[in-house]
Each structure stands twice: as C-alpha cells, then as structure tokens.
Tab-separated table of all heavy atoms in Angstrom:
chain	number	residue	atom	x	y	z
F	79	MET	N	0.843	-1.184	0.000
F	79	MET	CA	0.000	0.000	0.000
F	79	MET	C	0.884	1.242	0.000
F	79	MET	O	1.755	1.400	0.842
F	79	MET	CB	-0.892	-0.028	1.238
F	79	MET	CG	-1.876	1.090	1.302
F	79	MET	SD	-3.058	0.781	2.610
F	79	MET	CE	-2.855	2.257	3.540
F	80	SER	N	0.673	2.145	-0.903
F	80	SER	CA	1.494	3.354	-0.976
F	80	SER	C	0.801	4.507	-0.243
F	80	SER	O	-0.412	4.549	-0.119
F	80	SER	CB	1.765	3.732	-2.429
F	80	SER	OG	0.555	4.105	-3.038
F	81	THR	N	1.610	5.436	0.219
F	81	THR	CA	1.107	6.618	0.885
F	81	THR	C	1.118	7.775	-0.105
F	81	THR	O	2.147	8.032	-0.724
F	81	THR	CB	2.007	6.973	2.095
F	81	THR	OG1	2.066	5.843	2.956
F	81	THR	CG2	1.463	8.166	2.849
F	82	PRO	N	-0.009	8.466	-0.262
F	82	PRO	CA	-0.022	9.599	-1.198
F	82	PRO	C	0.879	10.723	-0.700
F	82	PRO	O	1.070	10.891	0.499
F	82	PRO	CB	-1.484	10.034	-1.226
F	82	PRO	CG	-2.076	9.500	0.029
F	82	PRO	CD	-1.292	8.276	0.392
F	83	GLU	N	1.428	11.472	-1.617
F	83	GLU	CA	2.272	12.616	-1.270
F	83	GLU	C	1.403	13.669	-0.580
F	83	GLU	O	0.313	13.979	-1.032
F	83	GLU	CB	2.893	13.203	-2.539
F	83	GLU	CG	3.909	14.270	-2.288
F	83	GLU	CD	5.167	13.778	-1.606
F	83	GLU	OE1	5.523	12.605	-1.794
F	83	GLU	OE2	5.795	14.576	-0.882
F	84	LEU	N	1.912	14.194	0.522
F	84	LEU	CA	1.165	15.213	1.262
F	84	LEU	C	1.510	16.600	0.730
F	84	LEU	O	2.624	16.851	0.300
F	84	LEU	CB	1.493	15.124	2.756
F	84	LEU	CG	1.067	13.835	3.440
F	84	LEU	CD1	1.615	13.784	4.864
F	84	LEU	CD2	-0.438	13.684	3.435
F	85	ASP	N	0.545	17.491	0.782
F	85	ASP	CA	0.714	18.876	0.336
F	85	ASP	C	1.015	19.730	1.565
F	85	ASP	O	0.111	20.186	2.267
F	85	ASP	CB	-0.553	19.345	-0.365
F	85	ASP	CG	-0.401	20.715	-0.988
F	85	ASP	OD1	0.750	21.154	-1.218
F	85	ASP	OD2	-1.434	21.348	-1.260
F	86	TRP	N	2.307	19.933	1.857
F	86	TRP	CA	2.748	20.656	3.049
F	86	TRP	C	2.667	22.158	2.833
F	86	TRP	O	2.947	22.656	1.755
F	86	TRP	CB	4.192	20.278	3.380
F	86	TRP	CG	4.329	18.853	3.791
F	86	TRP	CD1	4.730	17.820	3.006
F	86	TRP	CD2	4.051	18.292	5.077
F	86	TRP	NE1	4.719	16.647	3.730
F	86	TRP	CE2	4.311	16.914	5.008
F	86	TRP	CE3	3.614	18.826	6.291
F	86	TRP	CZ2	4.149	16.065	6.104
F	86	TRP	CZ3	3.454	17.975	7.375
F	86	TRP	CH2	3.716	16.620	7.271
F	87	PHE	N	2.285	22.899	3.888
F	87	PHE	CA	2.299	24.357	3.817
F	87	PHE	C	2.685	24.938	5.172
F	87	PHE	O	2.569	24.290	6.198
F	87	PHE	CB	0.948	24.910	3.353
F	87	PHE	CG	-0.185	24.674	4.324
F	87	PHE	CD1	-0.507	25.621	5.275
F	87	PHE	CD2	-0.928	23.507	4.266
F	87	PHE	CE1	-1.550	25.416	6.163
F	87	PHE	CE2	-1.970	23.290	5.149
F	87	PHE	CZ	-2.278	24.241	6.096
F	88	LYS	N	3.168	26.175	5.131
F	88	LYS	CA	3.537	26.914	6.340
F	88	LYS	C	2.495	27.993	6.590
F	88	LYS	O	1.807	28.437	5.671
F	88	LYS	CB	4.908	27.577	6.180
F	88	LYS	CG	6.036	26.603	6.066
F	88	LYS	CD	7.349	27.333	5.904
F	88	LYS	CE	8.448	26.345	5.583
F	88	LYS	NZ	9.704	26.993	5.297
F	89	SER	N	2.443	28.450	7.806
F	89	SER	CA	1.536	29.526	8.175
F	89	SER	C	1.866	30.794	7.391
F	89	SER	O	3.029	31.073	7.097
F	89	SER	CB	1.647	29.813	9.666
F	89	SER	OG	0.996	31.021	9.993
F	90	SER	N	0.853	31.576	7.118
F	90	SER	CA	1.085	32.875	6.479
F	90	SER	C	1.811	33.819	7.426
F	90	SER	O	2.337	34.841	7.012
F	90	SER	CB	-0.246	33.491	6.035
F	90	SER	OG	-1.083	33.676	7.168
F	91	TYR	N	1.872	33.478	8.712
F	91	TYR	CA	2.599	34.276	9.688
F	91	TYR	C	4.088	33.935	9.728
F	91	TYR	O	4.851	34.578	10.422
F	91	TYR	CB	2.011	34.086	11.096
F	91	TYR	CG	0.642	34.682	11.236
F	91	TYR	CD1	-0.492	33.886	11.154
F	91	TYR	CD2	0.487	36.051	11.437
F	91	TYR	CE1	-1.757	34.441	11.287
F	91	TYR	CE2	-0.777	36.608	11.561
F	91	TYR	CZ	-1.891	35.797	11.482
F	91	TYR	OH	-3.137	36.345	11.604
F	92	SER	N	4.517	32.930	8.989
F	92	SER	CA	5.929	32.544	8.957
F	92	SER	C	6.756	33.651	8.324
F	92	SER	O	6.288	34.346	7.414
F	92	SER	CB	6.126	31.264	8.148
F	92	SER	OG	5.455	30.198	8.758
F	93	SER	N	7.990	33.766	8.771
F	93	SER	CA	8.849	34.803	8.210
F	93	SER	C	9.217	34.468	6.776
F	93	SER	O	9.134	33.322	6.341
F	93	SER	CB	10.121	34.938	9.044
F	93	SER	OG	10.933	33.793	8.888
F	94	ALA	N	9.652	35.460	6.043
F	94	ALA	CA	10.057	35.270	4.654
F	94	ALA	C	11.292	34.385	4.549
F	94	ALA	O	11.542	33.760	3.527
F	94	ALA	CB	10.331	36.615	3.993
F	95	GLN	N	12.074	34.322	5.632
F	95	GLN	CA	13.279	33.492	5.627
F	95	GLN	C	12.935	32.010	5.654
F	95	GLN	O	13.718	31.178	5.235
F	95	GLN	CB	14.166	33.847	6.816
F	95	GLN	CG	14.692	35.260	6.738
F	95	GLN	CD	15.283	35.719	8.052
F	95	GLN	OE1	14.953	35.197	9.106
F	95	GLN	NE2	16.158	36.696	7.981
F	96	GLY	N	11.757	31.670	6.194
F	96	GLY	CA	11.302	30.290	6.161
F	96	GLY	C	11.937	29.378	7.189
F	96	GLY	O	11.789	28.170	7.114
F	97	ASP	N	12.632	29.928	8.184
F	97	ASP	CA	13.253	29.064	9.179
F	97	ASP	C	12.412	29.017	10.456
F	97	ASP	O	11.521	29.817	10.671
F	97	ASP	CB	14.672	29.548	9.496
F	97	ASP	CG	14.713	31.019	9.879
F	97	ASP	OD1	13.676	31.691	9.828
F	97	ASP	OD2	15.813	31.488	10.219
F	98	ASP	N	12.698	28.041	11.290
F	98	ASP	CA	12.034	27.890	12.583
F	98	ASP	C	10.515	27.853	12.471
F	98	ASP	O	9.802	28.526	13.204
F	98	ASP	CB	12.456	29.006	13.543
F	98	ASP	CG	13.951	28.979	13.812
F	98	ASP	OD1	14.538	27.881	13.789
F	98	ASP	OD2	14.523	30.039	14.056
F	99	CYS	N	10.012	27.052	11.567
F	99	CYS	CA	8.572	26.944	11.358
F	99	CYS	C	8.145	25.481	11.428
F	99	CYS	O	8.958	24.578	11.318
F	99	CYS	CB	8.180	27.467	9.982
F	99	CYS	SG	8.562	29.189	9.728
F	100	VAL	N	6.863	25.314	11.595
F	100	VAL	CA	6.296	23.988	11.398
F	100	VAL	C	5.528	24.027	10.090
F	100	VAL	O	5.093	25.087	9.629
F	100	VAL	CB	5.373	23.558	12.557
F	100	VAL	CG1	6.148	23.416	13.843
F	100	VAL	CG2	4.211	24.494	12.724
F	101	GLU	N	5.389	22.868	9.499
F	101	GLU	CA	4.607	22.727	8.282
F	101	GLU	C	3.451	21.786	8.585
F	101	GLU	O	3.571	20.885	9.408
F	101	GLU	CB	5.454	22.164	7.152
F	101	GLU	CG	6.567	23.101	6.723
F	101	GLU	CD	7.440	22.503	5.638
F	101	GLU	OE1	7.758	21.304	5.707
F	101	GLU	OE2	7.804	23.261	4.727
F	102	VAL	N	2.347	21.993	7.893
F	102	VAL	CA	1.137	21.225	8.125
F	102	VAL	C	0.640	20.679	6.793
F	102	VAL	O	0.734	21.348	5.762
F	102	VAL	CB	0.056	22.124	8.765
F	102	VAL	CG1	-1.246	21.386	8.934
F	102	VAL	CG2	0.540	22.669	10.099
F	103	ALA	N	0.125	19.468	6.830
F	103	ALA	CA	-0.537	18.866	5.674
F	103	ALA	C	-1.862	18.284	6.171
F	103	ALA	O	-1.893	17.578	7.172
F	103	ALA	CB	0.321	17.773	5.045
F	104	VAL	N	-2.935	18.596	5.474
F	104	VAL	CA	-4.266	18.192	5.911
F	104	VAL	C	-4.828	17.138	4.962
F	104	VAL	O	-4.781	17.295	3.740
F	104	VAL	CB	-5.204	19.417	5.953
F	104	VAL	CG1	-6.603	19.012	6.382
F	104	VAL	CG2	-4.638	20.493	6.870
F	105	THR	N	-5.344	16.065	5.554
F	105	THR	CA	-6.088	15.055	4.804
F	105	THR	C	-7.449	14.885	5.494
F	105	THR	O	-7.691	15.469	6.548
F	105	THR	CB	-5.354	13.695	4.782
F	105	THR	OG1	-5.289	13.174	6.115
F	105	THR	CG2	-3.950	13.836	4.204
F	106	GLU	N	-8.327	14.092	4.916
F	106	GLU	CA	-9.627	13.847	5.560
F	106	GLU	C	-9.462	13.156	6.902
F	106	GLU	O	-10.221	13.413	7.829
F	106	GLU	CB	-10.514	12.994	4.659
F	106	GLU	CG	-11.150	13.745	3.523
F	106	GLU	CD	-12.156	12.899	2.783
F	106	GLU	OE1	-12.847	12.080	3.439
F	106	GLU	OE2	-12.249	13.054	1.565
F	107	GLN	N	-8.469	12.294	7.026
F	107	GLN	CA	-8.302	11.485	8.225
F	107	GLN	C	-7.487	12.155	9.315
F	107	GLN	O	-7.664	11.839	10.488
F	107	GLN	CB	-7.630	10.140	7.885
F	107	GLN	CG	-8.408	9.269	6.934
F	107	GLN	CD	-8.235	9.685	5.468
F	107	GLN	OE1	-7.306	10.387	5.114
F	107	GLN	NE2	-9.165	9.261	4.642
F	108	ALA	N	-6.568	13.062	8.965
F	108	ALA	CA	-5.641	13.600	9.957
F	108	ALA	C	-5.024	14.909	9.502
F	108	ALA	O	-5.043	15.255	8.325
F	108	ALA	CB	-4.529	12.589	10.222
F	109	VAL	N	-4.445	15.594	10.488
F	109	VAL	CA	-3.609	16.759	10.230
F	109	VAL	C	-2.194	16.354	10.612
F	109	VAL	O	-1.952	15.899	11.722
F	109	VAL	CB	-4.074	17.986	11.053
F	109	VAL	CG1	-3.146	19.157	10.816
F	109	VAL	CG2	-5.507	18.344	10.702
F	110	HIS	N	-1.277	16.471	9.665
F	110	HIS	CA	0.110	16.046	9.853
F	110	HIS	C	0.963	17.289	10.097
F	110	HIS	O	0.785	18.298	9.426
F	110	HIS	CB	0.612	15.306	8.611
F	110	HIS	CG	-0.324	14.211	8.188
F	110	HIS	ND1	-0.275	12.948	8.731
F	110	HIS	CD2	-1.351	14.214	7.309
F	110	HIS	CE1	-1.228	12.201	8.176
F	110	HIS	NE2	-1.890	12.962	7.311
F	111	VAL	N	1.870	17.195	11.063
F	111	VAL	CA	2.700	18.333	11.450
F	111	VAL	C	4.157	17.891	11.447
F	111	VAL	O	4.493	16.815	11.960
F	111	VAL	CB	2.311	18.853	12.850
F	111	VAL	CG1	3.134	20.071	13.224
F	111	VAL	CG2	0.825	19.172	12.920
F	112	ARG	N	5.046	18.736	10.868
F	112	ARG	CA	6.474	18.417	10.860
F	112	ARG	C	7.294	19.688	11.057
F	112	ARG	O	6.818	20.801	10.855
F	112	ARG	CB	6.891	17.720	9.578
F	112	ARG	CG	6.892	18.605	8.352
F	112	ARG	CD	7.309	17.844	7.127
F	112	ARG	NE	7.322	18.714	5.936
F	112	ARG	CZ	7.555	18.291	4.724
F	112	ARG	NH1	7.790	17.004	4.506
F	112	ARG	NH2	7.547	19.129	3.708
F	113	ASP	N	8.549	19.498	11.409
F	113	ASP	CA	9.511	20.587	11.591
F	113	ASP	C	10.078	20.953	10.224
F	113	ASP	O	10.654	20.113	9.539
F	113	ASP	CB	10.621	20.113	12.529
F	113	ASP	CG	11.657	21.164	12.856
F	113	ASP	OD1	11.679	22.223	12.207
F	113	ASP	OD2	12.456	20.923	13.766
F	114	SER	N	9.956	22.211	9.839
F	114	SER	CA	10.430	22.617	8.513
F	114	SER	C	11.953	22.599	8.397
F	114	SER	O	12.487	22.572	7.295
F	114	SER	CB	9.907	24.010	8.156
F	114	SER	OG	10.466	24.975	9.027
F	115	LYS	N	12.650	22.610	9.541
F	115	LYS	CA	14.124	22.591	9.497
F	115	LYS	C	14.665	21.193	9.225
F	115	LYS	O	15.790	21.038	8.788
F	115	LYS	CB	14.697	23.098	10.822
F	115	LYS	CG	14.395	24.567	11.103
F	115	LYS	CD	15.019	25.052	12.385
F	115	LYS	CE	14.718	24.260	13.617
F	115	LYS	NZ	13.341	24.160	14.059
F	116	ASP	N	13.865	20.155	9.508
F	116	ASP	CA	14.319	18.780	9.293
F	116	ASP	C	13.148	17.930	8.823
F	116	ASP	O	12.520	17.216	9.604
F	116	ASP	CB	14.917	18.200	10.577
F	116	ASP	CG	15.567	16.850	10.354
F	116	ASP	OD1	15.542	16.335	9.209
F	116	ASP	OD2	16.101	16.291	11.323
F	117	VAL	N	12.861	18.023	7.547
F	117	VAL	CA	11.711	17.314	6.981
F	117	VAL	C	11.944	15.811	6.854
F	117	VAL	O	11.034	15.085	6.460
F	117	VAL	CB	11.291	17.918	5.630
F	117	VAL	CG1	10.858	19.360	5.810
F	117	VAL	CG2	12.403	17.809	4.598
F	118	THR	N	13.138	15.334	7.212
F	118	THR	CA	13.402	13.899	7.173
F	118	THR	C	12.843	13.190	8.403
F	118	THR	O	12.688	11.973	8.393
F	118	THR	CB	14.908	13.603	7.066
F	118	THR	OG1	15.565	14.098	8.241
F	118	THR	CG2	15.499	14.250	5.823
F	119	GLN	N	12.539	13.955	9.456
F	119	GLN	CA	11.952	13.366	10.660
F	119	GLN	C	10.496	12.981	10.392
F	119	GLN	O	9.803	13.626	9.601
F	119	GLN	CB	12.014	14.346	11.828
F	119	GLN	CG	13.413	14.685	12.262
F	119	GLN	CD	14.130	13.470	12.832
F	119	GLN	OE1	13.571	12.716	13.610
F	119	GLN	NE2	15.362	13.283	12.421
F	120	VAL	N	10.042	11.959	11.071
F	120	VAL	CA	8.667	11.504	10.903
F	120	VAL	C	7.715	12.552	11.493
F	120	VAL	O	7.895	12.972	12.635
F	120	VAL	CB	8.468	10.146	11.614
F	120	VAL	CG1	7.023	9.696	11.514
F	120	VAL	CG2	9.407	9.103	11.036
F	121	PRO	N	6.731	12.981	10.718
F	121	PRO	CA	5.769	13.954	11.258
F	121	PRO	C	4.834	13.281	12.263
F	121	PRO	O	4.706	12.056	12.279
F	121	PRO	CB	4.989	14.407	10.029
F	121	PRO	CG	5.139	13.307	9.051
F	121	PRO	CD	6.466	12.647	9.330
F	122	PHE	N	4.201	14.081	13.104
F	122	PHE	CA	3.163	13.501	13.956
F	122	PHE	C	1.813	13.886	13.375
F	122	PHE	O	1.692	14.843	12.610
F	122	PHE	CB	3.315	13.915	15.418
F	122	PHE	CG	2.973	15.340	15.741
F	122	PHE	CD1	1.675	15.700	16.073
F	122	PHE	CD2	3.948	16.318	15.745
F	122	PHE	CE1	1.354	17.009	16.382
F	122	PHE	CE2	3.635	17.639	16.061
F	122	PHE	CZ	2.333	17.979	16.374
F	123	SER	N	0.809	13.122	13.732
F	123	SER	CA	-0.525	13.339	13.179
F	123	SER	C	-1.549	13.390	14.300
F	123	SER	O	-1.416	12.695	15.306
F	123	SER	CB	-0.893	12.194	12.223
F	123	SER	OG	0.051	12.107	11.186
F	124	VAL	N	-2.548	14.214	14.111
F	124	VAL	CA	-3.674	14.308	15.036
F	124	VAL	C	-4.961	14.301	14.224
F	124	VAL	O	-4.965	14.626	13.034
F	124	VAL	CB	-3.608	15.580	15.912
F	124	VAL	CG1	-2.396	15.562	16.809
F	124	VAL	CG2	-3.628	16.832	15.084
F	125	GLY	N	-6.038	13.957	14.881
F	125	GLY	CA	-7.337	13.954	14.225
F	125	GLY	C	-7.812	15.378	13.970
F	125	GLY	O	-7.388	16.319	14.643
F	126	PRO	N	-8.687	15.551	13.002
F	126	PRO	CA	-9.190	16.885	12.677
F	126	PRO	C	-9.854	17.590	13.868
F	126	PRO	O	-9.691	18.792	14.042
F	126	PRO	CB	-10.200	16.635	11.553
F	126	PRO	CG	-9.799	15.324	10.970
F	126	PRO	CD	-9.208	14.528	12.088
F	127	ASP	N	-10.592	16.861	14.700
F	127	ASP	CA	-11.239	17.478	15.860
F	127	ASP	C	-10.202	17.980	16.860
F	127	ASP	O	-10.340	19.080	17.407
F	127	ASP	CB	-12.189	16.502	16.548
F	127	ASP	CG	-13.427	16.207	15.713
F	127	ASP	OD1	-13.751	17.007	14.805
F	127	ASP	OD2	-14.068	15.169	15.973
F	128	SER	N	-9.162	17.184	17.102
F	128	SER	CA	-8.104	17.604	18.019
F	128	SER	C	-7.388	18.838	17.484
F	128	SER	O	-7.051	19.751	18.244
F	128	SER	CB	-7.101	16.474	18.236
F	128	SER	OG	-7.727	15.389	18.879
F	129	TRP	N	-7.152	18.885	16.196
F	129	TRP	CA	-6.491	20.043	15.583
F	129	TRP	C	-7.367	21.293	15.732
F	129	TRP	O	-6.883	22.378	16.059
F	129	TRP	CB	-6.188	19.760	14.113
F	129	TRP	CG	-5.413	20.845	13.453
F	129	TRP	CD1	-5.874	21.722	12.519
F	129	TRP	CD2	-4.044	21.198	13.678
F	129	TRP	NE1	-4.873	22.583	12.140
F	129	TRP	CE2	-3.737	22.285	12.837
F	129	TRP	CE3	-3.052	20.691	14.500
F	129	TRP	CZ2	-2.485	22.879	12.798
F	129	TRP	CZ3	-1.798	21.283	14.466
F	129	TRP	CH2	-1.519	22.365	13.632
F	130	ALA	N	-8.660	21.148	15.528
F	130	ALA	CA	-9.575	22.278	15.669
F	130	ALA	C	-9.569	22.805	17.103
F	130	ALA	O	-9.566	24.025	17.325
F	130	ALA	CB	-10.986	21.874	15.247
F	131	HIS	N	-9.524	21.905	18.088
F	131	HIS	CA	-9.460	22.328	19.486
F	131	HIS	C	-8.150	23.062	19.764
F	131	HIS	O	-8.133	24.079	20.470
F	131	HIS	CB	-9.608	21.129	20.428
F	131	HIS	CG	-10.990	20.568	20.469
F	131	HIS	ND1	-12.060	21.239	21.008
F	131	HIS	CD2	-11.470	19.388	20.026
F	131	HIS	CE1	-13.148	20.494	20.893
F	131	HIS	NE2	-12.815	19.374	20.296
F	132	PHE	N	-7.053	22.559	19.217
F	132	PHE	CA	-5.757	23.223	19.385
F	132	PHE	C	-5.787	24.634	18.798
F	132	PHE	O	-5.344	25.587	19.430
F	132	PHE	CB	-4.639	22.397	18.746
F	132	PHE	CG	-3.354	23.148	18.618
F	132	PHE	CD1	-2.574	23.413	19.727
F	132	PHE	CD2	-2.934	23.618	17.383
F	132	PHE	CE1	-1.382	24.130	19.619
F	132	PHE	CE2	-1.764	24.342	17.259
F	132	PHE	CZ	-0.981	24.596	18.386
F	133	LEU	N	-6.312	24.778	17.589
F	133	LEU	CA	-6.364	26.093	16.948
F	133	LEU	C	-7.234	27.066	17.738
F	133	LEU	O	-6.902	28.241	17.876
F	133	LEU	CB	-6.867	25.970	15.519
F	133	LEU	CG	-5.939	25.263	14.531
F	133	LEU	CD1	-6.590	25.194	13.160
F	133	LEU	CD2	-4.577	25.928	14.465
F	134	ALA	N	-8.355	26.579	18.270
F	134	ALA	CA	-9.221	27.436	19.072
F	134	ALA	C	-8.501	27.906	20.326
F	134	ALA	O	-8.572	29.083	20.703
F	134	ALA	CB	-10.503	26.700	19.437
F	135	PHE	N	-7.755	27.005	20.951
F	135	PHE	CA	-6.991	27.374	22.147
F	135	PHE	C	-5.906	28.378	21.791
F	135	PHE	O	-5.713	29.382	22.475
F	135	PHE	CB	-6.370	26.129	22.786
F	135	PHE	CG	-5.452	26.450	23.920
F	135	PHE	CD1	-5.960	26.765	25.164
F	135	PHE	CD2	-4.082	26.454	23.731
F	135	PHE	CE1	-5.104	27.086	26.227
F	135	PHE	CE2	-3.222	26.766	24.771
F	135	PHE	CZ	-3.738	27.078	26.023
F	136	ALA	N	-5.171	28.113	20.726
F	136	ALA	CA	-4.064	28.993	20.321
F	136	ALA	C	-4.565	30.387	19.964
F	136	ALA	O	-3.873	31.387	20.200
F	136	ALA	CB	-3.304	28.378	19.153
F	137	ALA	N	-5.756	30.486	19.419
F	137	ALA	CA	-6.305	31.795	19.053
F	137	ALA	C	-6.608	32.644	20.284
F	137	ALA	O	-6.616	33.864	20.210
F	137	ALA	CB	-7.560	31.608	18.218
F	138	LYS	N	-6.836	31.994	21.416
F	138	LYS	CA	-7.146	32.712	22.650
F	138	LYS	C	-5.902	33.219	23.347
F	138	LYS	O	-5.980	34.145	24.133
F	138	LYS	CB	-7.894	31.794	23.620
F	138	LYS	CG	-9.268	31.418	23.147
F	138	LYS	CD	-9.912	30.476	24.118
F	138	LYS	CE	-11.239	29.975	23.616
F	138	LYS	NZ	-11.840	29.023	24.545
F	139	VAL	N	-4.770	32.612	23.061
F	139	VAL	CA	-3.526	32.947	23.772
F	139	VAL	C	-2.915	34.214	23.238
F	139	VAL	O	-2.939	34.623	22.181
F	139	VAL	CB	-2.516	31.779	23.669
F	139	VAL	CG1	-1.204	32.142	24.318
F	139	VAL	CG2	-3.110	30.552	24.285
C-alpha cells in the first residue's frame, strides 16, 4: 500500500526566511505536522477534531 504525497504548507505568519517553522498537511483522516528545518523526521498526526481544538486554544492565547 502506498502513501499519497502530502501537500505541506507553512503559516502565512511565517517569516520570509522560512526558518524555525512547522509545516502542516491536511487530509480527511488527519492533520500532519512536521519541523520545517528537518523534513526527514517523521511527522506527527492528530485527528481533525483535536487540531480544531488546538487552533481554538491557540487563538485565545
């Protein structure tokens, strides 16, 4: 079984230099998160509901 290529993106708040950021890829099943400085590391994944709760919390901070 092959894994489809993920479409990674950075926040629009990321600096133009592109360093020290996380990248996110969204699928129907999960939101995948990785370190943009070392994309060879395995990303972690969370469910869409958990990601939505995280974003809501982060918006309050």
Side-chain angles (χ1 to χ4, degrees):
M79 184 169 124
S80 66
T81 304
E83 187 67 29
L84 296 172
D85 186 20
W86 294 99
F87 66 93
K88 294 180 188 175
S89 168
S90 60
Y91 291 100
S92 297
S93 69
Q95 296 166 337
D97 53 356
D98 299 329
C99 299
V100 295
E101 295 178 319
V102 176
V104 179
T105 65
E106 283 188 35
Q107 299 80 18
V109 177
H110 309 275
V111 182
R112 71 180 181 185
D113 183 349
S114 66
K115 294 182 306 298
D116 188 359
V117 298
T118 63
Q119 296 295 316
V120 177
F122 72 89
S123 302
V124 296
D127 290 340
S128 295
W129 185 251
H131 288 292
F132 167 73
L133 292 179
F135 174 79
K138 293 178 185 178
V139 176

